[in-house]
Structure formats: C-alpha cells, structure tokens
C-alpha cells in the first residue's frame, strides 16, 4: 500500500488521480483537511472511477501516525502534507516549523519502525532563492531561506539526507517544484485556495470570474523582457506524474543515490504579463488588471533546467502554458456552476 500524505490537497489529489490510473497497488491518503476537504475524494472518484480512502489525522501526532502504520501494510510514502503559505510563515514561523518538520520526523520515525524504505518528498524551487545562473539546475547552491516556509523545505531535505545515511536501505527522492498551476483537464479537480489567493493563477481566474475586482501585477520595473517577474509555471498533472515515476524509481531500486533531488519545471520562463495574455487568449475574458508596486520578497526571475528529471525519470511535460490556463479556467467555471447549484 502506498501512503499519500496531504492527498486531499492540490498536488496530492492530482497525484492520486495519476497513480489510480497507473498502479494496481492500494492507495491510502492521510489528510486532516486543514487546507482541503473530503469532497476532493468525490472529485477523484468522478475522474478515475476509483475510491481512495483517507484517514483523517494530524501527522504531527506521533501516536495517531503510528496507528496508521500498524493498521496498514505501507511500503512507500509520498509526503505532500505541509503548510505552504510563504507570507503566513513569516508571521507565524512556529506554526510552520511545528507542522512541516514534526510531521516529517514522525513519518520517518514510522519508516524506521515499520521498515518502509521508499519515500518521495515535496520540495520547492524556493530553496534556490534568486539563482545567479539561469536556468537553475540541481547543482545550483542552496541560498539562505527567505521565509520560514522555505526553511522547512531546506531543513526537510537535510533531515531526509541524514536519515538516509543512518538507514542504508532507505531510498528517498525530493522533487523541487517550480510554480504548479492549472487543473485536471476534465476541469473536475483543481486548486481550492482559502481566502484571498496569494498565487498568481488562482488570482487571475478569480478575477476573470468576478470574485476579485482587479488583479495587481506586482511590479513592471524588473530587468525582464516586459518588466514583470519571470517564473516557471508547470501544469499540476505534469507534476503529479513525476511522483508516479519517482515512486517507481525507488521501488525498483533504480535510483543512483540513496537521496536524489530533481527539479520539476517546464524550462520556460514566463512573465506575469505573458501569463495574463495567455489567460485572456484561452478564456476570451479581458482581465481587469493594473500595474502596482513590487511585492516584498519577490525574486526577479527563476526557471528550471529539468534535464535531470527528463534523463533519469523519463519525465516529459504534456501541457503548455495555454493548457495550464485553460484547465485553470475550466475549473473556475466548474466551481461557479457548483456554487450556483447550492
Ligand atoms: P495543499 O495545502 O493543497 O495540500 C496539503 C495538504 O496537506 C492539505 O490538504 C492539508 O489539509 C494537508 N495537511 C497539512 N498539514 C497536515 C498535517 N499535519 N496532517 C495531515 N494533513 C496535513 O498544498 P499543495 O499545493 O498540494 O502542496 C503540497 C506540497 O507541495 C506541500 O508540501 C508544499 O509545500 C509543496 N509545494 C507546493 C507548491 C505550490 O505552489 N502549490 C510549490 C512547491 C512545493
Ligand atoms: C508568481 C508571480 C508575483 C500574485 C510561490 C512560493 C514558492 C512556491 C511557488 C511553494 C510573481 C506575481 C502574484 C498577484 C502578481 N511555493 N503576482 N500578482 O511567488 O513565484 O512562488 O509559489 O513552495 O515558494 O513563494 O508564486 O504565484 O505567488 O507569484 O503579480 O496577485 O506572480 O509577483 O512574480 P511565487 P506566486
């Protein structure tokens, strides 16, 4: 059985869909629904006609986490569960250190006790900060974290590396995502931001649908081709599939090192204004936006060299920027239809 922590969340749910379509192994999610809801599992079932069970516990509770391992024969873990809001982590650092680090330590403790040797970890491009050389590959230096959230990813990778040293049979892969966006192509599952979205694409689609009055472009005076920041947007279903491939790699002992790291990005740098144009093109909606001041803490540009994931995992991206935007828009329309039904 494969344990997916945070399976009700944005990337976890898309990974469950990918896994459900490919693997015959049993899947179990653990999620306390702190940033998601049980309805996600109905969405997953509607897409792939498979019901995934969820155990609702907080992974920072060691006893409850241990019970999950006692009750189920878990052979591999994909660990998504974490708090992820960068700004919030600056205001509430302990909440992030407690949740993100304690849940990881508890899971690894259970790996040791129950001899689970396959582990995939959600890391982030945030570990690179503003790289000097672009595109950024896995050999780029890890710069001091710019937020407590980013620090939990750096520390998380270090903890797993140390755990590997102490446990020679343990295989782990950290996947460093760039900017995951979009929704399942059916439009039936996607991101569910709580409150005002801080990420660009949900803010765009919520503005397009009329939930937000106007989008502010945070700065158009950067040293980029149109002055707005450059990011590497990557479709969530492409990110999801990389987990299936990474899982196969550790399960088949195909990994070259005990602890491996892969970037997951499209390799394309896209400016904020280009993202807006792509949205307008695929949706046919003229977006109400204005240019505003820079957002504190934003880096000017980052995009990925994902050659390693292509060569080693056989990972190929399927979806381009237009498809990222059209699927995100389809999902926003689906949410609107659901609201109107109530
Ligand atoms: P998400 O918030 O949608 O999903 C995380 C899920 O974990 C939620 O359903 C939440 O309820 C659950 N959870 C959190 N803490 C828990 C705990 N202690 N016990 C049980 N369940 C818990 O986030 P996401 O966007 O799907 O991100 C998944 C992972 O990917 C996170 O580790 C995140 O840091 C990482 N990541 C995300 C992005 C991004 O932009 N979305 C980028 C890079 C890395
Ligand atoms: C993208 C671009 C904004 C909103 C964050 C985390 C990072 C990783 C991915 C988890 C930036 C601009 C945004 C808006 C705007 N997450 N923007 N107006 O900041 O690249 O990365 O998510 O690991 O750690 O920091 O993503 O979507 O917030 O912003 O102009 O209303 O859109 O300035 O240039 P970011 P984002």
């Amino acid at each position: 059985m494969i344990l997916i922590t945070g399976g009700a969340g944005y990337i976890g749910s898309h990974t469950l869909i990918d896994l459900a379509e490919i693997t015959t192994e049993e899947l179990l999610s653990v999620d306390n629904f702190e940033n998601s809801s049980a309805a996600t599992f109905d969405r997953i079932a509607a897409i792939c006609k498979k019901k995934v069970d969820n155990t609702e516990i907080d992974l920072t509770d060691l006893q409850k986490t241990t019970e999950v391992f006692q009750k189920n024969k878990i052979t591999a873990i994909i660990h998504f569960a974490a708090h992820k809001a960068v700004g919030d982590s600056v205001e509430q650092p302990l909440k992030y250190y407690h949740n993100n680090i304690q849940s990881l330590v508890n899971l690894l403790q259970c790996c040791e006790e129950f001899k689970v040797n396959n582990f995939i970890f959600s890391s982030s491009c945030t570990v690179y900060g503003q790289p000097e050389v672009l595109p950024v590959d896995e050999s780029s230096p890890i710069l001091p974290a710019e937020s407590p959230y980013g620090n939990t990813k750096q520390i998380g990778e270090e903890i797993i590396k140390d755990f590997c040293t102490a446990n020679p049979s343990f295989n782990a892969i950290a996947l460093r995502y760039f900017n995951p966006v979009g929704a399942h192509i059916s439009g039936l599952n996607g991101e569910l931001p709580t409150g005002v979205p801080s990420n660009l694409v949900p803010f765009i689609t919520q503005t397009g649908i009329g939930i937000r009055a106007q989008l502010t472009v945070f700065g158009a005076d950067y040293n980029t081709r149109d002055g707005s920041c450059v990011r590497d947007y990557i479709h969530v279903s492409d990110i999801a599939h990389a987990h299936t491939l990474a899982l196969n790699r550790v399960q088949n002992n195909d990994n070259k090192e005990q602890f491996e790291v892969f970037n997951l990005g499209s390799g394309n740098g896209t400016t904020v204004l280009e993202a807006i144009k792509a949205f307008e093109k695929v949706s046919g909606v003229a977006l109400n936006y204005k240019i505003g001041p820079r957002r504190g803490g934003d880096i000017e540009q980052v995009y990925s060299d994902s050659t390693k994931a292509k060569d080693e995992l056989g990972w190929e991206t399927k979806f381009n920027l237009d498809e990222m935007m059209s699927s995100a828009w389809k999902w926003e329309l689906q949410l609107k239809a659901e609201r109107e039904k109530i």
Side-chain angles (χ1 to χ4, degrees):
M1 176 183 281
I2 302 163
L3 177 68
I4 290 91
T5 75
Y10 177 42
I11 305 171
S13 60
H14 287 87
T15 302
L16 281 171
I17 293 165
D18 196 83
L19 282 167
E21 280 166 1
I22 290 169
T23 182
T24 51
E25 283 187 75
E26 254 188 289
L27 305 171
L28 174 69
S29 165
V30 163
D31 200 305
N32 63 358
F33 302 131
E34 191 166 328
N35 197 35
S36 53
S37 84
T40 303
F41 296 102
D42 300 332
R43 301 183 194 284
I44 295 171
I47 292 169
C48 54
K49 317 283 174 244
K50 249 191 215 174
K51 198 180 164 318
V52 177
D53 286 331
N54 183 73
T55 303
E56 189 179 338
I57 58 145
D58 186 333
L59 289 159
T60 63
D61 183 329
L62 179 59
Q63 198 188 321
K64 292 211 169 105
T65 305
T66 305
E67 283 167 17
V68 173
F69 286 77
Q70 283 165 342
K71 286 185 191 145
N72 300 283
K73 179 79 198 93
I74 292 160
T75 56
I77 300 171
I78 308 182
H79 180 39
F80 292 103
H83 292 329
K84 62 165 181 177
V86 176
D88 185 40
S89 80
V90 176
E91 280 159 30
Q92 306 191 68
L94 297 184
K95 176 179 156 191
Y96 281 70
Y97 287 117
H98 173 66
N99 193 58
N100 296 5
I101 302 300
Q102 192 60 55
S103 58
L104 173 63
V105 169
N106 286 352
L107 281 171
L108 293 176
Q109 208 159 312
C110 290
C111 283
E112 205 159 45
E113 191 178 337
F114 296 90
K115 312 258 178 298
V116 181
N117 285 326
N118 304 305
F119 197 84
I120 312 296
F121 178 64
S122 293
S123 190
S124 168
C125 67
T126 191
V127 302
Y128 297 119
Q130 175 63 72
E132 276 181 25
V133 180
L134 289 169
V136 57
D137 69 18
E138 294 82 356
S139 66
S140 299
I142 302 298
L143 300 179
E146 279 159 15
S147 70
Y149 164 73
N151 212 12
T152 67
K153 293 300 172 190
Q154 295 191 1
I155 295 169
E157 287 194 14
E158 291 298 324
I159 290 173
I160 297 168
K161 214 188 292 171
D162 289 344
F163 186 78
C164 282
T165 307
N167 296 272
S169 310
F170 190 77
N171 295 323
I173 291 180
L175 298 174
R176 292 178 180 159
Y177 321 147
F178 280 65
N179 288 57
V181 297
H184 189 264
I185 42 156
S186 63
L188 295 176
N189 189 49
E191 190 168 7
L192 274 172
T194 43
V196 182
S198 55
N199 292 117
L200 179 66
V201 174
F203 207 108
I204 288 178
T205 55
Q206 288 195 4
T207 306
I209 209 103
I211 297 174
R212 312 277 154 216
Q214 190 177 47
L215 170 85
T216 302
V217 175
F218 296 142
D221 57 350
Y222 286 97
N223 185 23
T224 61
R225 51 186 171 268
D226 60 23
S228 61
C229 289
V230 169
R231 295 288 183 277
D232 186 335
Y233 299 97
I234 170 86
H235 196 284
V236 66
S237 297
D238 280 331
I239 293 265
H241 187 57
H243 291 77
T244 304
L245 297 172
L247 188 70
N248 286 342
R249 183 173 173 93
V250 288
Q251 285 181 317
N252 298 333
N253 285 310
D254 286 340
N255 48 312
K256 295 194 173 140
E257 289 161 275
Q258 244 188 296
F259 178 64
E260 295 181 317
V261 171
F262 294 96
N263 281 355
L264 296 181
S266 70
N268 301 316
T270 300
T271 69
V272 176
L273 293 169
E274 287 164 352
I276 292 171
K277 277 193 203 101
F279 169 78
E280 290 183 321
K281 186 177 81 180
V282 299
S283 67
V285 172
L287 199 73
N288 183 19
Y289 70 91
K290 65 166 185 195
I291 308 293
R294 292 181 178 196
R295 180 172 70 176
D298 261 344
I299 55 168
E300 184 171 275
Q301 46 186 322
V302 66
Y303 50 97
S304 170
D305 177 340
S306 301
T307 310
K308 189 179 171 198
K310 291 192 175 102
D311 291 351
E312 298 288 329
L313 296 178
W315 181 63
E316 294 285 347
T317 56
K318 276 199 201 142
F319 302 102
N320 61 27
L321 183 65
D322 285 355
E323 290 160 319
M324 296 178 211
M325 290 299 178
S326 59
S327 59
W329 182 235
K330 209 168 169 185
W331 168 239
E332 195 65 66
L333 292 169
Q334 163 75 16
L335 289 174
K336 182 172 187 237
E338 286 179 18
R339 280 194 300 274
E340 285 169 355
K341 248 193 252 163
I342 298 167

